[in-house]
Amino acid sequence: MNDIFHKLLIFRTPGIGPVKYAELVNKFGSPAAAADSLNCTVEYIDSVKREMDAAAKLGIRYICEDSEYYPDKLKSFKNRPPVVSVRGDLETLKKPSVSIVGTRHATGAGMKFVSDLAREFASNGYAVVSGMAMGTDTAAHTGALSAGADSCTIAVLAGGADYIWPLENEKLYHRISERGLIVSRMPVGYVPDRANFVQRNRGIAGLGDKLILGEADEKSGSMSTAGFAMEFERPVFAIPGHPSDSRSAGPNRLIKENKARMCTGPSDFFEIKELKSEKSESNTELLDRIGIIPIQESVLAELVKKSTAETRRELVMLELCGRVRKTDGGYVKA
Protein backbone atom coordinates (compact mmCIF):
# COMPACT_ATOMS: atom_id res chain seq x y z
CA MET A 1 0.00 0.00 0.00
CA ASN A 2 1.33 3.48 -0.79
CA ASP A 3 1.98 6.25 1.71
CA ILE A 4 -0.99 8.38 0.61
CA PHE A 5 -3.33 5.48 1.28
CA HIS A 6 -2.10 5.15 4.89
CA LYS A 7 -2.32 8.91 5.42
CA LEU A 8 -5.88 8.97 4.13
CA LEU A 9 -6.77 5.96 6.24
CA ILE A 10 -5.79 7.93 9.34
CA PHE A 11 -7.12 11.32 8.30
CA ARG A 12 -10.50 10.00 7.13
CA THR A 13 -11.08 8.18 10.44
CA PRO A 14 -13.92 9.90 12.38
CA GLY A 15 -12.61 11.87 15.33
CA ILE A 16 -9.09 12.27 13.93
CA GLY A 17 -8.22 15.78 12.84
CA PRO A 18 -4.87 17.29 11.90
CA VAL A 19 -3.57 17.53 15.48
CA LYS A 20 -4.52 13.95 16.41
CA TYR A 21 -3.11 12.76 13.08
CA ALA A 22 0.28 14.31 13.87
CA GLU A 23 0.27 12.81 17.37
CA LEU A 24 -0.39 9.30 16.00
CA VAL A 25 2.30 9.50 13.31
CA ASN A 26 4.84 10.82 15.84
CA LYS A 27 3.92 8.12 18.34
CA PHE A 28 4.17 5.18 15.94
CA GLY A 29 6.94 6.54 13.75
CA SER A 30 5.24 6.38 10.33
CA PRO A 31 1.81 6.73 8.66
CA ALA A 32 1.77 2.98 7.93
CA ALA A 33 2.40 2.04 11.56
CA ALA A 34 -0.10 4.61 12.79
CA ALA A 35 -2.74 3.31 10.36
CA ASP A 36 -2.13 -0.28 11.50
CA SER A 37 -2.69 0.80 15.11
CA LEU A 38 -6.25 1.85 14.28
CA ASN A 39 -7.34 -1.70 13.45
CA CYS A 40 -9.62 -0.42 10.68
CA THR A 41 -12.42 -2.65 9.44
CA VAL A 42 -12.35 -4.16 5.98
CA GLU A 43 -15.36 -2.01 5.04
CA TYR A 44 -13.56 1.18 6.08
CA ILE A 45 -10.37 0.20 4.23
CA ASP A 46 -12.44 -0.49 1.11
CA SER A 47 -14.13 2.92 1.38
CA VAL A 48 -10.75 4.70 1.30
CA LYS A 49 -9.67 2.57 -1.69
CA ARG A 50 -12.89 3.50 -3.49
CA GLU A 51 -12.24 7.18 -2.80
CA MET A 52 -8.75 6.94 -4.30
CA ASP A 53 -10.08 5.07 -7.34
CA ALA A 54 -12.78 7.69 -7.88
CA ALA A 55 -10.22 10.49 -7.54
CA ALA A 56 -7.92 8.87 -10.11
CA LYS A 57 -10.77 8.57 -12.64
CA LEU A 58 -11.65 12.25 -12.19
CA GLY A 59 -8.07 13.50 -12.42
CA ILE A 60 -8.05 14.51 -8.76
CA ARG A 61 -4.68 14.20 -7.05
CA TYR A 62 -3.53 14.25 -3.43
CA ILE A 63 -0.75 16.40 -2.03
CA CYS A 64 0.71 15.74 1.40
CA GLU A 65 2.76 17.85 3.81
CA ASP A 66 6.03 16.47 2.43
CA SER A 67 5.09 17.25 -1.18
CA GLU A 68 6.94 20.01 -3.05
CA TYR A 69 3.53 21.44 -3.92
CA TYR A 70 2.16 21.61 -0.39
CA PRO A 71 1.88 25.38 0.24
CA ASP A 72 4.70 26.70 2.45
CA LYS A 73 2.30 29.25 3.89
CA LEU A 74 0.29 26.40 5.48
CA LYS A 75 3.19 24.39 6.89
CA SER A 76 3.56 26.54 10.01
CA PHE A 77 -0.06 25.92 11.10
CA LYS A 78 -0.54 23.38 13.84
CA ASN A 79 -3.92 22.27 12.47
CA ARG A 80 -2.97 22.15 8.77
CA PRO A 81 -4.59 19.27 6.87
CA PRO A 82 -1.97 16.52 6.30
CA VAL A 83 -3.55 15.65 2.93
CA VAL A 84 -5.54 17.79 0.50
CA SER A 85 -7.13 16.79 -2.79
CA VAL A 86 -6.63 19.02 -5.81
CA ARG A 87 -7.85 19.25 -9.39
CA GLY A 88 -6.04 21.37 -11.93
CA ASP A 89 -2.59 22.92 -12.29
CA LEU A 90 -0.40 22.35 -9.22
CA GLU A 91 1.99 25.11 -10.33
CA THR A 92 -0.75 27.56 -9.32
CA LEU A 93 0.22 26.90 -5.68
CA LYS A 94 3.70 28.32 -6.29
CA LYS A 95 2.43 31.76 -7.27
CA PRO A 96 2.01 34.72 -4.91
CA SER A 97 -1.63 34.80 -3.88
CA VAL A 98 -4.41 37.06 -2.65
CA SER A 99 -7.65 35.89 -1.04
CA ILE A 100 -10.79 37.87 -1.94
CA VAL A 101 -14.07 37.19 -0.15
CA GLY A 102 -17.43 38.82 0.46
CA THR A 103 -21.18 38.34 0.53
CA ARG A 104 -23.16 36.11 -1.82
CA HIS A 105 -25.66 38.98 -2.14
CA ALA A 106 -23.22 41.54 -3.48
CA THR A 107 -24.34 44.69 -5.28
CA GLY A 108 -23.57 45.13 -8.95
CA ALA A 109 -21.11 47.90 -8.08
CA GLY A 110 -19.44 45.71 -5.46
CA MET A 111 -19.02 42.81 -7.87
CA LYS A 112 -17.61 45.10 -10.58
CA PHE A 113 -15.09 46.53 -8.12
CA VAL A 114 -13.99 43.05 -6.98
CA SER A 115 -13.80 41.74 -10.55
CA ASP A 116 -11.58 44.63 -11.65
CA LEU A 117 -9.39 44.20 -8.58
CA ALA A 118 -9.00 40.45 -9.15
CA ARG A 119 -8.16 41.02 -12.81
CA GLU A 120 -5.39 43.44 -11.84
CA PHE A 121 -3.92 40.99 -9.32
CA ALA A 122 -4.02 38.18 -11.89
CA SER A 123 -2.38 40.46 -14.47
CA ASN A 124 0.46 40.95 -12.01
CA GLY A 125 1.09 37.23 -11.58
CA TYR A 126 -1.08 36.51 -8.54
CA ALA A 127 -3.34 33.53 -8.01
CA VAL A 128 -6.70 34.83 -6.74
CA VAL A 129 -8.13 32.63 -3.97
CA SER A 130 -11.85 32.45 -3.13
CA GLY A 131 -14.64 29.99 -2.29
CA MET A 132 -16.64 29.69 -5.57
CA ALA A 133 -19.86 30.92 -3.93
CA MET A 134 -22.25 33.23 -5.80
CA GLY A 135 -21.73 36.98 -5.60
CA THR A 136 -18.32 38.23 -4.50
CA ASP A 137 -16.52 34.89 -4.87
CA THR A 138 -17.77 34.47 -8.43
CA ALA A 139 -16.69 38.02 -9.29
CA ALA A 140 -13.22 37.33 -7.89
CA HIS A 141 -12.75 34.11 -9.85
CA THR A 142 -14.15 35.43 -13.14
CA GLY A 143 -12.22 38.68 -12.82
CA ALA A 144 -8.97 36.77 -12.37
CA LEU A 145 -9.68 34.50 -15.35
CA SER A 146 -10.42 37.52 -17.56
CA ALA A 147 -6.86 38.82 -17.20
CA GLY A 148 -5.42 36.63 -19.96
CA ALA A 149 -4.33 33.12 -20.88
CA ASP A 150 -1.73 32.92 -18.09
CA SER A 151 -4.04 34.17 -15.34
CA CYS A 152 -5.32 31.74 -12.74
CA THR A 153 -7.47 31.37 -9.65
CA ILE A 154 -7.89 28.91 -6.78
CA ALA A 155 -11.26 27.72 -5.49
CA VAL A 156 -11.30 26.25 -1.97
CA LEU A 157 -14.36 24.02 -1.57
CA ALA A 158 -16.27 22.90 1.51
CA GLY A 159 -17.25 19.60 -0.13
CA GLY A 160 -15.14 17.13 -2.08
CA ALA A 161 -12.96 18.39 -4.91
CA ASP A 162 -15.55 17.01 -7.35
CA TYR A 163 -18.58 18.52 -5.58
CA ILE A 164 -19.86 21.49 -7.58
CA TRP A 165 -21.84 23.97 -5.52
CA PRO A 166 -23.69 26.09 -6.29
CA LEU A 167 -24.84 24.36 -9.47
CA GLU A 168 -25.02 27.74 -11.23
CA ASN A 169 -21.22 27.79 -11.11
CA GLU A 170 -20.69 24.49 -12.93
CA LYS A 171 -19.10 26.19 -15.94
CA LEU A 172 -16.95 28.31 -13.64
CA TYR A 173 -15.81 25.19 -11.77
CA HIS A 174 -14.55 23.63 -15.00
CA ARG A 175 -12.85 26.86 -16.09
CA ILE A 176 -11.04 27.01 -12.76
CA SER A 177 -9.94 23.37 -12.95
CA GLU A 178 -8.58 24.02 -16.47
CA ARG A 179 -6.87 27.35 -15.74
CA GLY A 180 -6.19 27.16 -12.01
CA LEU A 181 -6.85 24.81 -9.13
CA ILE A 182 -9.69 23.29 -7.10
CA VAL A 183 -8.68 22.51 -3.50
CA SER A 184 -10.47 20.49 -0.80
CA ARG A 185 -9.57 18.70 2.41
CA MET A 186 -12.69 16.50 2.21
CA PRO A 187 -13.18 13.10 0.51
CA VAL A 188 -14.18 12.88 -3.15
CA GLY A 189 -17.97 12.97 -3.43
CA TYR A 190 -18.42 14.52 0.02
CA VAL A 191 -21.48 16.76 0.47
CA PRO A 192 -20.60 19.56 2.91
CA ASP A 193 -22.38 20.59 6.09
CA ARG A 194 -22.12 23.85 8.06
CA ALA A 195 -18.87 22.93 9.85
CA ASN A 196 -17.13 22.25 6.54
CA PHE A 197 -17.65 25.84 5.43
CA VAL A 198 -15.77 27.06 8.50
CA GLN A 199 -12.84 24.84 7.50
CA ARG A 200 -13.12 26.12 3.94
CA ASN A 201 -12.89 29.69 5.22
CA ARG A 202 -9.74 28.82 7.16
CA GLY A 203 -8.29 27.38 3.97
CA ILE A 204 -9.09 30.50 1.95
CA ALA A 205 -7.44 32.71 4.59
CA GLY A 206 -4.43 30.42 4.88
CA LEU A 207 -3.73 30.15 1.15
CA GLY A 208 -3.56 33.91 0.59
CA ASP A 209 -0.52 36.08 1.22
CA LYS A 210 -3.04 38.81 1.97
CA LEU A 211 -6.83 39.04 2.21
CA ILE A 212 -9.26 41.57 0.77
CA LEU A 213 -12.76 41.77 2.23
CA GLY A 214 -15.55 43.03 -0.01
CA GLU A 215 -19.17 43.62 0.97
CA ALA A 216 -19.96 41.55 4.06
CA ASP A 217 -22.55 41.56 6.81
CA GLU A 218 -21.26 41.71 10.38
CA LYS A 219 -22.15 38.09 11.11
CA SER A 220 -21.02 36.29 7.99
CA GLY A 221 -18.64 33.65 6.78
CA SER A 222 -16.61 36.34 5.04
CA MET A 223 -16.02 38.11 8.35
CA SER A 224 -14.88 34.82 9.89
CA THR A 225 -12.48 34.39 6.97
CA ALA A 226 -11.06 37.84 7.70
CA GLY A 227 -10.73 36.79 11.34
CA PHE A 228 -8.75 33.71 10.34
CA ALA A 229 -6.49 35.88 8.16
CA MET A 230 -5.74 38.07 11.17
CA GLU A 231 -5.06 34.96 13.26
CA PHE A 232 -2.60 33.82 10.57
CA GLU A 233 -1.00 37.30 10.60
CA ARG A 234 -1.96 38.01 7.01
CA PRO A 235 -2.41 41.66 5.96
CA VAL A 236 -6.14 42.39 5.75
CA PHE A 237 -7.69 45.02 3.48
CA ALA A 238 -11.35 46.02 3.42
CA ILE A 239 -13.40 47.73 0.72
CA PRO A 240 -15.51 50.48 2.34
CA GLY A 241 -19.17 50.97 1.52
CA HIS A 242 -22.20 53.11 2.31
CA PRO A 243 -22.93 53.19 6.09
CA SER A 244 -26.63 52.48 5.61
CA ASP A 245 -26.03 49.24 3.71
CA SER A 246 -25.72 46.21 6.01
CA ARG A 247 -23.42 44.62 3.43
CA SER A 248 -20.87 47.32 4.22
CA ALA A 249 -21.07 46.89 8.00
CA GLY A 250 -18.30 44.27 8.14
CA PRO A 251 -15.58 46.02 6.14
CA ASN A 252 -16.48 49.44 7.54
CA ARG A 253 -16.06 48.18 11.12
CA LEU A 254 -12.70 46.57 10.43
CA ILE A 255 -11.46 49.82 8.90
CA LYS A 256 -12.85 51.89 11.80
CA GLU A 257 -11.20 49.63 14.37
CA ASN A 258 -7.88 49.68 12.47
CA LYS A 259 -8.07 45.91 11.97
CA ALA A 260 -7.95 46.31 8.20
CA ARG A 261 -6.44 48.79 5.82
CA MET A 262 -8.80 50.56 3.46
CA CYS A 263 -8.82 49.21 -0.09
CA THR A 264 -9.75 51.83 -2.69
CA GLY A 265 -8.64 49.96 -5.80
CA PRO A 266 -5.73 48.34 -7.66
CA SER A 267 -3.56 51.43 -7.15
CA ASP A 268 -3.30 50.47 -3.46
CA PHE A 269 -1.19 47.50 -4.59
CA PHE A 270 0.17 48.26 -8.05
CA GLU A 271 1.38 51.15 -10.13
CA ILE A 272 -1.38 51.61 -12.67
CA LYS A 273 -0.20 52.82 -16.05
CA GLU A 274 -2.84 54.43 -18.21
CA LEU A 275 -2.40 55.15 -21.89
CA LYS A 276 -3.71 58.68 -22.40
CA SER A 277 -4.91 60.10 -25.67
CA GLU A 278 -5.69 63.75 -26.31
CA LYS A 279 -9.36 62.97 -25.80
CA SER A 280 -8.82 61.23 -22.48
CA GLU A 281 -6.55 64.01 -21.21
CA SER A 282 -9.21 66.60 -21.87
CA ASN A 283 -11.71 64.52 -19.91
CA THR A 284 -9.51 63.59 -16.95
CA GLU A 285 -11.23 65.95 -14.50
CA LEU A 286 -14.66 64.62 -15.43
CA LEU A 287 -13.52 60.99 -15.29
CA ASP A 288 -12.04 61.55 -11.83
CA ARG A 289 -15.52 62.48 -10.57
CA ILE A 290 -17.09 59.22 -11.77
CA GLY A 291 -16.88 56.10 -9.65
CA ILE A 292 -18.84 52.90 -9.03
CA ILE A 293 -21.89 54.75 -7.65
CA PRO A 294 -24.06 56.22 -10.46
CA ILE A 295 -23.91 60.01 -10.75
CA GLN A 296 -26.14 62.19 -12.93
CA GLU A 297 -24.74 64.41 -15.66
CA SER A 298 -26.26 67.57 -14.10
CA VAL A 299 -24.39 66.86 -10.87
CA LEU A 300 -21.20 66.19 -12.81
CA ALA A 301 -21.59 69.50 -14.65
CA GLU A 302 -21.74 71.35 -11.32
CA LEU A 303 -18.69 69.49 -9.98
CA VAL A 304 -16.47 70.26 -12.99
CA LYS A 305 -17.95 73.74 -13.44
CA LYS A 306 -19.00 73.25 -17.05
CA SER A 307 -22.30 73.58 -18.86
CA THR A 308 -24.59 70.56 -18.99
CA ALA A 309 -24.27 70.49 -22.79
CA GLU A 310 -20.46 70.47 -22.67
CA THR A 311 -20.47 67.83 -19.95
CA ARG A 312 -22.86 65.69 -21.97
CA ARG A 313 -20.55 65.85 -25.02
CA GLU A 314 -17.57 64.76 -22.93
CA LEU A 315 -19.59 61.93 -21.38
CA VAL A 316 -20.53 60.69 -24.85
CA MET A 317 -16.83 60.66 -25.81
CA LEU A 318 -15.90 58.79 -22.64
CA GLU A 319 -18.67 56.28 -23.28
CA LEU A 320 -17.48 55.72 -26.86
CA CYS A 321 -13.94 55.16 -25.55
CA GLY A 322 -15.27 52.58 -23.11
CA ARG A 323 -14.24 54.58 -20.04
CA VAL A 324 -17.75 55.08 -18.60
CA ARG A 325 -21.17 53.54 -19.05
CA LYS A 326 -24.66 54.93 -18.53
CA THR A 327 -27.05 53.30 -16.07
CA ASP A 328 -30.57 54.15 -14.89
CA GLY A 329 -29.09 56.19 -12.03
CA GLY A 330 -26.45 58.02 -14.04
CA TYR A 331 -22.86 57.34 -15.12
CA VAL A 332 -20.34 54.89 -13.62
CA LYS A 333 -16.82 53.92 -14.59
CA ALA A 334 -16.74 51.06 -17.10
Side-chain angles (χ1 to χ4, degrees), residues 239-260:
I239 301 168
H242 197 283
S244 66
D245 190 337
S246 64
R247 290 167 291 194
S248 299
N252 286 354
R253 178 173 66 79
L254 294 187
I255 294 169
K256 182 178 180 180
E257 295 177 355
N258 292 319
K259 293 179 178 177

PDB file of all heavy atoms in Angstrom, residues 239-260:
ATOM      1  N   ILE A 239     -12.831  46.773   1.665  1.00  0.00           N
ATOM      2  CA  ILE A 239     -13.404  47.731   0.717  1.00  0.00           C
ATOM      3  C   ILE A 239     -14.559  48.462   1.406  1.00  0.00           C
ATOM      4  O   ILE A 239     -15.560  47.832   1.774  1.00  0.00           O
ATOM      5  CB  ILE A 239     -13.916  46.997  -0.536  1.00  0.00           C
ATOM      6  CG1 ILE A 239     -12.769  46.227  -1.198  1.00  0.00           C
ATOM      7  CG2 ILE A 239     -14.551  47.978  -1.511  1.00  0.00           C
ATOM      8  CD1 ILE A 239     -13.223  45.237  -2.267  1.00  0.00           C
ATOM      9  N   PRO A 240     -14.453  49.761   1.625  1.00  0.00           N
ATOM     10  CA  PRO A 240     -15.511  50.481   2.344  1.00  0.00           C
ATOM     11  C   PRO A 240     -16.777  50.608   1.521  1.00  0.00           C
ATOM     12  O   PRO A 240     -16.757  50.513   0.292  1.00  0.00           O
ATOM     13  CB  PRO A 240     -14.869  51.856   2.594  1.00  0.00           C
ATOM     14  CG  PRO A 240     -13.923  52.022   1.436  1.00  0.00           C
ATOM     15  CD  PRO A 240     -13.374  50.650   1.167  1.00  0.00           C
ATOM     16  N   GLY A 241     -17.894  50.813   2.205  1.00  0.00           N
ATOM     17  CA  GLY A 241     -19.170  50.967   1.520  1.00  0.00           C
ATOM     18  C   GLY A 241     -20.061  51.951   2.247  1.00  0.00           C
ATOM     19  O   GLY A 241     -19.692  52.514   3.293  1.00  0.00           O
ATOM     20  N   HIS A 242     -21.274  52.142   1.730  1.00  0.00           N
ATOM     21  CA  HIS A 242     -22.199  53.113   2.312  1.00  0.00           C
ATOM     22  C   HIS A 242     -22.628  52.663   3.710  1.00  0.00           C
ATOM     23  O   HIS A 242     -23.015  51.503   3.901  1.00  0.00           O
ATOM     24  CB  HIS A 242     -23.425  53.281   1.419  1.00  0.00           C
ATOM     25  CG  HIS A 242     -24.199  54.515   1.716  1.00  0.00           C
ATOM     26  ND1 HIS A 242     -25.042  54.616   2.796  1.00  0.00           N
ATOM     27  CD2 HIS A 242     -24.235  55.722   1.090  1.00  0.00           C
ATOM     28  CE1 HIS A 242     -25.577  55.822   2.823  1.00  0.00           C
ATOM     29  NE2 HIS A 242     -25.107  56.515   1.797  1.00  0.00           N
ATOM     30  N   PRO A 243     -22.598  53.559   4.699  1.00  0.00           N
ATOM     31  CA  PRO A 243     -22.926  53.193   6.086  1.00  0.00           C
ATOM     32  C   PRO A 243     -24.320  52.617   6.286  1.00  0.00           C
ATOM     33  O   PRO A 243     -24.540  51.839   7.215  1.00  0.00           O
ATOM     34  CB  PRO A 243     -22.783  54.523   6.844  1.00  0.00           C
ATOM     35  CG  PRO A 243     -21.871  55.343   6.005  1.00  0.00           C
ATOM     36  CD  PRO A 243     -22.172  54.969   4.587  1.00  0.00           C
ATOM     37  N   SER A 244     -25.267  52.964   5.421  1.00  0.00           N
ATOM     38  CA  SER A 244     -26.633  52.482   5.610  1.00  0.00           C
ATOM     39  C   SER A 244     -26.867  51.088   5.029  1.00  0.00           C
ATOM     40  O   SER A 244     -27.923  50.506   5.232  1.00  0.00           O
ATOM     41  CB  SER A 244     -27.632  53.466   4.989  1.00  0.00           C
ATOM     42  OG  SER A 244     -27.481  53.494   3.575  1.00  0.00           O
ATOM     43  N   ASP A 245     -25.895  50.559   4.314  1.00  0.00           N
ATOM     44  CA  ASP A 245     -26.028  49.237   3.706  1.00  0.00           C
ATOM     45  C   ASP A 245     -25.415  48.194   4.634  1.00  0.00           C
ATOM     46  O   ASP A 245     -24.224  48.256   4.936  1.00  0.00           O
ATOM     47  CB  ASP A 245     -25.324  49.219   2.343  1.00  0.00           C
ATOM     48  CG  ASP A 245     -25.637  47.957   1.539  1.00  0.00           C
ATOM     49  OD1 ASP A 245     -26.012  46.934   2.144  1.00  0.00           O
ATOM     50  OD2 ASP A 245     -25.505  48.007   0.305  1.00  0.00           O
ATOM     51  N   SER A 246     -26.215  47.235   5.074  1.00  0.00           N
ATOM     52  CA  SER A 246     -25.720  46.213   6.008  1.00  0.00           C
ATOM     53  C   SER A 246     -24.571  45.418   5.417  1.00  0.00           C
ATOM     54  O   SER A 246     -23.734  44.883   6.146  1.00  0.00           O
ATOM     55  CB  SER A 246     -26.861  45.263   6.403  1.00  0.00           C
ATOM     56  OG  SER A 246     -27.332  44.546   5.277  1.00  0.00           O
ATOM     57  N   ARG A 247     -24.500  45.353   4.074  1.00  0.00           N
ATOM     58  CA  ARG A 247     -23.423  44.622   3.428  1.00  0.00           C
ATOM     59  C   ARG A 247     -22.080  45.334   3.545  1.00  0.00           C
ATOM     60  O   ARG A 247     -21.031  44.753   3.224  1.00  0.00           O
ATOM     61  CB  ARG A 247     -23.758  44.396   1.946  1.00  0.00           C
ATOM     62  CG  ARG A 247     -24.880  43.410   1.727  1.00  0.00           C
ATOM     63  CD  ARG A 247     -25.387  43.433   0.310  1.00  0.00           C
ATOM     64  NE  ARG A 247     -26.090  44.681   0.014  1.00  0.00           N
ATOM     65  CZ  ARG A 247     -26.854  44.868  -1.053  1.00  0.00           C
ATOM     66  NH1 ARG A 247     -27.008  43.882  -1.926  1.00  0.00           N
ATOM     67  NH2 ARG A 247     -27.471  46.016  -1.260  1.00  0.00           N
ATOM     68  N   SER A 248     -22.112  46.574   4.013  1.00  0.00           N
ATOM     69  CA  SER A 248     -20.873  47.318   4.223  1.00  0.00           C
ATOM     70  C   SER A 248     -20.469  47.349   5.693  1.00  0.00           C
ATOM     71  O   SER A 248     -19.397  47.856   6.032  1.00  0.00           O
ATOM     72  CB  SER A 248     -21.027  48.760   3.714  1.00  0.00           C
ATOM     73  OG  SER A 248     -21.302  48.757   2.329  1.00  0.00           O
ATOM     74  N   ALA A 249     -21.328  46.806   6.553  1.00  0.00           N
ATOM     75  CA  ALA A 249     -21.070  46.889   7.998  1.00  0.00           C
ATOM     76  C   ALA A 249     -19.773  46.183   8.383  1.00  0.00           C
ATOM     77  O   ALA A 249     -19.001  46.687   9.210  1.00  0.00           O
ATOM     78  CB  ALA A 249     -22.245  46.272   8.765  1.00  0.00           C
ATOM     79  N   GLY A 250     -19.506  45.022   7.795  1.00  0.00           N
ATOM     80  CA  GLY A 250     -18.303  44.272   8.142  1.00  0.00           C
ATOM     81  C   GLY A 250     -17.020  45.002   7.790  1.00  0.00           C
ATOM     82  O   GLY A 250     -16.195  45.288   8.667  1.00  0.00           O
ATOM     83  N   PRO A 251     -16.810  45.321   6.505  1.00  0.00           N
ATOM     84  CA  PRO A 251     -15.578  46.025   6.137  1.00  0.00           C
ATOM     85  C   PRO A 251     -15.441  47.390   6.793  1.00  0.00           C
ATOM     86  O   PRO A 251     -14.339  47.777   7.196  1.00  0.00           O
ATOM     87  CB  PRO A 251     -15.666  46.141   4.612  1.00  0.00           C
ATOM     88  CG  PRO A 251     -17.097  45.890   4.274  1.00  0.00           C
ATOM     89  CD  PRO A 251     -17.610  44.978   5.323  1.00  0.00           C
ATOM     90  N   ASN A 252     -16.556  48.115   6.909  1.00  0.00           N
ATOM     91  CA  ASN A 252     -16.480  49.437   7.541  1.00  0.00           C
ATOM     92  C   ASN A 252     -16.002  49.349   8.985  1.00  0.00           C
ATOM     93  O   ASN A 252     -15.204  50.172   9.450  1.00  0.00           O
ATOM     94  CB  ASN A 252     -17.848  50.129   7.491  1.00  0.00           C
ATOM     95  CG  ASN A 252     -18.191  50.638   6.102  1.00  0.00           C
ATOM     96  OD1 ASN A 252     -17.374  50.575   5.183  1.00  0.00           O
ATOM     97  ND2 ASN A 252     -19.400  51.120   5.923  1.00  0.00           N
ATOM     98  N   ARG A 253     -16.474  48.320   9.714  1.00  0.00           N
ATOM     99  CA  ARG A 253     -16.056  48.181  11.120  1.00  0.00           C
ATOM    100  C   ARG A 253     -14.575  47.835  11.219  1.00  0.00           C
ATOM    101  O   ARG A 253     -13.859  48.381  12.065  1.00  0.00           O
ATOM    102  CB  ARG A 253     -16.887  47.111  11.829  1.00  0.00           C
ATOM    103  CG  ARG A 253     -16.444  46.904  13.286  1.00  0.00           C
ATOM    104  CD  ARG A 253     -17.365  45.977  14.043  1.00  0.00           C
ATOM    105  NE  ARG A 253     -17.350  44.612  13.544  1.00  0.00           N
ATOM    106  CZ  ARG A 253     -16.380  43.729  13.834  1.00  0.00           C
ATOM    107  NH1 ARG A 253     -15.338  44.087  14.570  1.00  0.00           N
ATOM    108  NH2 ARG A 253     -16.454  42.499  13.367  1.00  0.00           N
ATOM    109  N   LEU A 254     -14.115  46.938  10.371  1.00  0.00           N
ATOM    110  CA  LEU A 254     -12.697  46.565  10.428  1.00  0.00           C
ATOM    111  C   LEU A 254     -11.798  47.759  10.140  1.00  0.00           C
ATOM    112  O   LEU A 254     -10.742  47.921  10.765  1.00  0.00           O
ATOM    113  CB  LEU A 254     -12.409  45.439   9.429  1.00  0.00           C
ATOM    114  CG  LEU A 254     -13.063  44.082   9.704  1.00  0.00           C
ATOM    115  CD1 LEU A 254     -12.541  43.043   8.716  1.00  0.00           C
ATOM    116  CD2 LEU A 254     -12.800  43.624  11.133  1.00  0.00           C
ATOM    117  N   ILE A 255     -12.236  48.607   9.206  1.00  0.00           N
ATOM    118  CA  ILE A 255     -11.460  49.819   8.903  1.00  0.00           C
ATOM    119  C   ILE A 255     -11.498  50.772  10.099  1.00  0.00           C
ATOM    120  O   ILE A 255     -10.469  51.313  10.520  1.00  0.00           O
ATOM    121  CB  ILE A 255     -12.016  50.512   7.642  1.00  0.00           C
ATOM    122  CG1 ILE A 255     -11.802  49.624   6.413  1.00  0.00           C
ATOM    123  CG2 ILE A 255     -11.349  51.871   7.438  1.00  0.00           C
ATOM    124  CD1 ILE A 255     -12.537  50.083   5.180  1.00  0.00           C
ATOM    125  N   LYS A 256     -12.687  50.975  10.664  1.00  0.00           N
ATOM    126  CA  LYS A 256     -12.853  51.887  11.798  1.00  0.00           C
ATOM    127  C   LYS A 256     -12.016  51.455  12.995  1.00  0.00           C
ATOM    128  O   LYS A 256     -11.446  52.292  13.702  1.00  0.00           O
ATOM    129  CB  LYS A 256     -14.333  51.952  12.190  1.00  0.00           C
ATOM    130  CG  LYS A 256     -14.635  52.916  13.331  1.00  0.00           C
ATOM    131  CD  LYS A 256     -16.134  52.942  13.620  1.00  0.00           C
ATOM    132  CE  LYS A 256     -16.447  53.904  14.756  1.00  0.00           C
ATOM    133  NZ  LYS A 256     -17.911  53.934  15.047  1.00  0.00           N
ATOM    134  N   GLU A 257     -11.937  50.151  13.223  1.00  0.00           N
ATOM    135  CA  GLU A 257     -11.204  49.632  14.374  1.00  0.00           C
ATOM    136  C   GLU A 257      -9.726  49.378  14.068  1.00  0.00           C
ATOM    137  O   GLU A 257      -8.999  48.798  14.881  1.00  0.00           O
ATOM    138  CB  GLU A 257     -11.860  48.323  14.845  1.00  0.00           C
ATOM    139  CG  GLU A 257     -13.273  48.520  15.383  1.00  0.00           C
ATOM    140  CD  GLU A 257     -13.934  47.208  15.780  1.00  0.00           C
ATOM    141  OE1 GLU A 257     -13.337  46.138  15.542  1.00  0.00           O
ATOM    142  OE2 GLU A 257     -15.058  47.260  16.325  1.00  0.00           O
ATOM    143  N   ASN A 258      -9.282  49.838  12.897  1.00  0.00           N
ATOM    144  CA  ASN A 258      -7.883  49.677  12.470  1.00  0.00           C
ATOM    145  C   ASN A 258      -7.440  48.210  12.413  1.00  0.00           C
ATOM    146  O   ASN A 258      -6.263  47.892  12.620  1.00  0.00           O
ATOM    147  CB  ASN A 258      -6.936  50.461  13.397  1.00  0.00           C
ATOM    148  CG  ASN A 258      -7.109  51.958  13.273  1.00  0.00           C
ATOM    149  OD1 ASN A 258      -7.268  52.479  12.166  1.00  0.00           O
ATOM    150  ND2 ASN A 258      -7.115  52.651  14.402  1.00  0.00           N
ATOM    151  N   LYS A 259      -8.394  47.325  12.128  1.00  0.00           N
ATOM    152  CA  LYS A 259      -8.068  45.913  11.969  1.00  0.00           C
ATOM    153  C   LYS A 259      -7.816  45.566  10.500  1.00  0.00           C
ATOM    154  O   LYS A 259      -7.327  44.486  10.191  1.00  0.00           O
ATOM    155  CB  LYS A 259      -9.195  45.044  12.524  1.00  0.00           C
ATOM    156  CG  LYS A 259      -9.339  45.148  14.040  1.00  0.00           C
ATOM    157  CD  LYS A 259     -10.481  44.277  14.539  1.00  0.00           C
ATOM    158  CE  LYS A 259     -10.588  44.352  16.057  1.00  0.00           C
ATOM    159  NZ  LYS A 259     -11.739  43.555  16.571  1.00  0.00           N
ATOM    160  N   ALA A 260      -8.179  46.504   9.640  1.00  0.00           N
ATOM    161  CA  ALA A 260      -7.954  46.313   8.202  1.00  0.00           C
ATOM    162  C   ALA A 260      -7.595  47.654   7.579  1.00  0.00           C
ATOM    163  O   ALA A 260      -8.062  48.699   8.028  1.00  0.00           O
ATOM    164  CB  ALA A 260      -9.196  45.742   7.532  1.00  0.00           C
TER     165      ALA A 260
END
